[in-house]
Amino acid sequence: MLDYSKILSGTVQGIKPSGIRKFFDLLGDRKDVISLTVGEPDFPTPYHIREAGIENLERGKTHYTSNNGMMELRTEICNYLNRRFHISYNPKNEVIVTVGGSEAIDLAVRAVVEPGDEVIIPQPAFVCYGPIVELAHGVPVYIETKAEDKFKLTPEALRAAITPKTKMLVLPFPNNPTGAVMDREDLEGIAEVLRGTNIVILSDEIYAELTYGFRHTSIASLDGMWERTITVSGFSKAYAMTGWRLGYLCAPAELTVQMHKIHQYAIMCAPTTSQVAAIEALRHGDEDIAMMAAEYNRRRKYIISGLRRMGIDCFEAEGAFYVFPYIGAYGMTSDEFCQRLLDERNVAIVPGNAFGACGEGYARISYAYSVEHIASALEQMERFIKG
Amino acid sequence: MEHNTEFLKLLENDSRLTADQLAVMLDKEVGDIKKMITKYEKDGVILGYKTLVDWDKTDREYVTALIELKVAPQRDRGFDKVAEKIYNYPEVQSLYLMSGSFDLAVFIEGRTMKEVAYFVAQKLAPMEYIVSTSTHFVLRKYKDKGVVYGPCEVDERGLI
């Protein structure tokens, strides 16, 4: 009998399973659950984008592309980032098209982090950063963001977390799960702390198009930040293209040339059909983004108002498609609250501690659902907390 | 009065949205939303609220036809007078004045093909100013008012 624990890498075995996974396993195949758990758009990919993919398949253009992605796509990505966020990159050597934003995060961490290096990660945050850092034998250093700071990363907290070993700062804003955003002024404070250091920023801007009432600011557009920033984004959230698995990263050529090596050996290139569809999205998708963002915004207002009306303290999330209400006032842990809400009222929301220990007392509620669906979930939640 | 397109589009898409829901989503007072609805109803901007029913999923027998009419326009009245005579028939579901090779498009619904044929032959064709008719029976409705008819959509998003 083989002893697999001796065969497998100790690093991989040491990685904890994702907390969100644990809760989804509980959901299992329960029927008729009113779920507000999903982290992807409910809209289908706009038809003209799908058509571009279909046409590409019909023409049989199904070969590899260049490692970094089709030049046409890289050019469109640069035009788009310049047009919407005022950051400029050279499509020739400062862009890598990746398999989702996730691969881009992995490339950035692996290219920069050496064993023992510290990577600062504000939490609550999407679950992937810490484990990816650990796989690179780095050390995740978590900063708790707080409701009273609107779940923003503060310059004070950042300064306190920096040590001589700090190599990288992850900036996951607009944030999953809190919906927090960092505006220009907030980022200016962060930039001030980083100026004069060698710390690299991994700015995960996958939700950049989903901010409500103002436009997202890319930290790379601030003075002295471009040189140290790896900007990560993708098509999943803005264009409802999750299943196409397409993202990208942009960074100075000195960084991309190294990340390129990992991408080349591990991935080769992102899916060709998805790249063709993405070109269409960038060229003709601005209206789709606006339409979907307007709808999310209406749902956001509706869900926040609904939660507050039943007495739940809900922070004004201004980005992504999640709200992160405080549910600690009901004498239960996040796990207990969500488990009982599921058992007693058939409503599923994700315990906040799945996104870091500091998420305890909170829950993530996705509003990537129809108003009707949200309304029936809220009705059941109200019965639960009043029952 | 400046029309609130966003508000009208929302209601057009889902007439069951309550005044409370609309108020929250549009940053308005519930009272203002109610007033707006009343005003739009009074002005005839909002004409009614109906339900989309896929009758093919029931055992009700019915048939729908599109009838293309060529019409000789009347002096000073154009096509309006003829149109009015046609839309007053309860069998007529929709009526449009068209550009192109015919003038009026009439959608009518009947219980059987025979009933529709009878309506065309007895009511429409003999009508003054009608030059010709061409009847097309609908075999299947795929999409109406932006809604696809067919199997119910299920949320295919997995737990990931």
Side-chain angles (χ1 to χ4, degrees):
Chain A
M1 190 64 190
L2 284 175
D3 183 354
Y4 289 105
S5 68
K6 293 221 170 79
I7 295 170
L8 285 158
S9 134
T11 312
V12 173
Q13 290 186 82
I15 288 184
K16 289 192 211 94
S18 117
I20 196 166
R21 191 70 259 157
K22 202 177 79 191
F23 185 73
F24 284 164
D25 287 344
L26 273 177
L27 270 172
D29 42 2
R30 291 171 74 126
K31 297 259 178 321
D32 302 321
V33 172
I34 309 174
S35 169
L36 295 177
T37 58
V38 166
E40 63 173 313
D42 54 324
F43 299 99
T45 306
Y47 191 54
H48 65 102
I49 299 173
R50 282 185 273 156
E51 257 190 318
I54 293 165
E55 198 197 349
N56 182 69
L57 288 176
E58 281 175 348
R59 290 164 61 198
K61 305 256 179 192
T62 53
H63 301 286
Y64 294 128
T65 69
S66 79
N67 291 130
N68 284 348
M70 298 164 73
M71 189 58 195
E72 211 180 339
L73 173 58
R74 281 183 276 148
T75 305
E76 288 300 337
I77 288 170
C78 294
N79 292 344
Y80 161 87
L81 288 174
N82 201 2
R83 178 171 89 236
R84 315 260 308 177
F85 306 111
H86 317 295
I87 36 179
S88 63
Y89 290 101
N90 186 341
K92 280 202 193 98
N93 53 6
E94 292 175 341
V95 183
I96 302 177
V97 176
T98 55
V99 179
S102 304
E103 189 214 332
I105 294 165
D106 187 35
L107 293 184
V109 170
R110 281 207 272 170
V112 170
V113 174
E114 291 197 277
D117 284 348
E118 292 178 357
V119 176
I120 296 175
I121 304 168
Q123 277 189 333
F126 181 51
V127 294
C128 78
Y129 311 110
I132 288 177
V133 168
E134 286 170 18
L135 284 169
H137 305 284
V139 181
V141 175
Y142 297 109
I143 297 182
E144 296 186 5
T145 60
K146 297 188 176 71
E148 62 257 36
D149 299 322
K150 298 181 165 184
F151 291 107
K152 292 172 193 279
L153 173 64
T154 64
E156 299 74 40
L158 174 60
R159 199 173 285 119
I162 292 176
T163 75
K165 287 185 180 164
T166 305
K167 197 65 166 294
M168 180 183 254
L169 164 67
V170 177
L171 263 188
F173 296 96
N175 184 268
N176 168 15
T178 63
V181 294
M182 298 276 286
D183 61 24
R184 179 168 285 271
E185 202 180 317
D186 301 324
L187 292 172
E188 201 43 73
I190 299 302
E192 198 43 50
V193 177
L194 296 178
R195 283 186 191 113
T197 71
N198 277 329
I199 298 171
V200 172
I201 304 169
L202 165 52
S203 187
D204 184 353
E205 304 181 20
I206 191 78
Y207 290 100
E209 290 290 355
L210 302 178
T211 57
Y212 308 106
F214 56 92
R215 285 208 66 74
H216 168 78
T217 301
S218 284
I219 193 158
S221 68
L222 302 189
D223 246 11
M225 292 298 109
W226 186 91
E227 296 77 359
R228 67 176 73 240
T229 301
I230 301 170
T231 303
V232 168
S233 192
F235 297 85
S236 295
K237 317 292 180 177
Y239 296 97
M241 291 179 70
T242 45
W244 299 77
R245 305 311 305 125
L246 205 69
Y248 53 88
L249 62 81
C250 296
E254 292 78 1
L255 290 169
T256 46
V257 73
Q258 301 302 326
M259 293 188 275
H260 168 89
K261 289 193 277 188
I262 310 173
H263 175 73
Q264 173 193 340
Y265 291 124
I267 300 289
M268 297 277 290
C269 70
T272 305
T273 298
S274 302
Q275 292 192 47
V276 171
I279 293 171
E280 169 66 21
L282 291 169
R283 282 192 184 147
H284 302 117
D286 285 8
E287 268 183 39
D288 301 301
I289 293 178
M291 183 278 289
M292 290 188 268
E295 178 61 25
Y296 289 133
N297 193 20
R298 289 189 286 263
R299 298 170 183 179
R300 180 185 72 93
K301 291 184 214 167
Y302 178 60
I303 202 163
I304 291 176
S305 135
L307 289 166
R308 286 179 180 166
R309 238 187 255 194
M310 65 178 89
I312 294 180
D313 181 10
C314 188
F315 144 78
E316 180 85 27
E318 293 174 296
F321 38 59
Y322 312 100
V323 289
F324 203 61
Y326 178 66
I327 45 151
Y330 299 96
M332 292 173 257
T333 64
S334 292
D335 278 341
E336 284 164 357
F337 186 98
C338 295
Q339 176 75 61
R340 279 188 53 197
L341 180 63
L342 180 62
D343 290 342
E344 293 169 30
R345 289 287 155 198
N346 242 352
V347 172
I349 59 176
V350 183
N353 58 336
F355 306 95
C358 61
E360 178 54 47
Y362 296 85
R364 184 188 80 172
I365 304 183
S366 160
Y367 51 87
Y369 292 91
S370 71
V371 169
E372 200 183 346
H373 185 94
I374 294 169
S376 53
L378 287 178
E379 197 186 313
Q380 295 303 322
M381 268 187 87
E382 182 156 20
R383 285 194 198 168
F384 173 70
I385 61 168
K386 301 213 163 133
Chain B
M1 174 184 173
E2 198 185 316
H3 293 290
N4 190 327
T5 309
E6 187 185 11
F7 163 80
L8 287 171
K9 275 274 167 204
L10 279 177
L11 262 192
E12 186 187 35
N13 195 40
D14 182 2
S15 61
R16 292 203 306 172
L17 287 174
T18 63
D20 276 13
Q21 291 173 329
L22 287 163
V24 170
M25 291 193 284
L26 298 170
D27 292 322
K28 294 208 182 306
E29 294 298 320
V30 181
D32 292 341
I33 292 285
K34 285 183 177 160
K35 267 185 223 154
M36 204 146 73
I37 293 175
T38 311
K39 172 104 172 78
Y40 276 134
E41 286 173 347
K42 216 172 105 221
D43 294 348
V45 175
I46 292 177
L47 290 162
Y49 306 88
K50 295 206 167 191
T51 302
L52 296 167
V53 178
D54 188 350
W55 288 110
D56 287 347
K57 293 200 186 99
T58 72
D59 53 6
R60 176 178 174 250
E61 290 290 332
Y62 75 105
V63 58
T64 314
L66 157 67
I67 300 144
E68 301 172 358
L69 295 182
K70 284 188 183 161
V71 182
Q74 289 171 265
R75 184 191 298 273
D76 301 330
R77 304 291 302 271
F79 298 97
D80 294 353
K81 183 75 188 156
V82 176
E84 189 183 331
K85 282 193 76 142
I86 295 172
Y87 66 60
N88 277 324
Y89 286 107
E91 292 90 336
V92 173
Q93 297 291 312
S94 325
L95 177 62
Y96 305 92
L97 177 62
M98 310 294 289
S99 67
S101 60
F102 62 97
D103 304 302
L104 292 175
V106 190
F107 280 89
I108 74 165
E109 195 180 285
R111 265 171 302 179
T112 60
M113 274 168 77
K114 212 169 163 182
E115 195 177 283
V116 171
Y118 180 85
F119 178 80
V120 175
Q122 298 298 315
K123 312 279 181 173
L124 286 183
M127 204 181 275
E128 202 177 0
Y129 305 108
I130 302 287
V131 179
S132 72
T133 70
S134 172
T135 303
H136 310 270
F137 285 99
V138 173
L139 300 181
R140 183 168 170 190
K141 174 149 70 176
Y142 287 104
K143 188 175 180 182
D144 194 17
K145 305 271 189 291
V147 176
V148 173
Y149 283 57
C152 294
E153 288 219 349
V154 286
D155 191 341
E156 286 174 349
R157 292 176 291 171
L159 297 169
I160 185 165

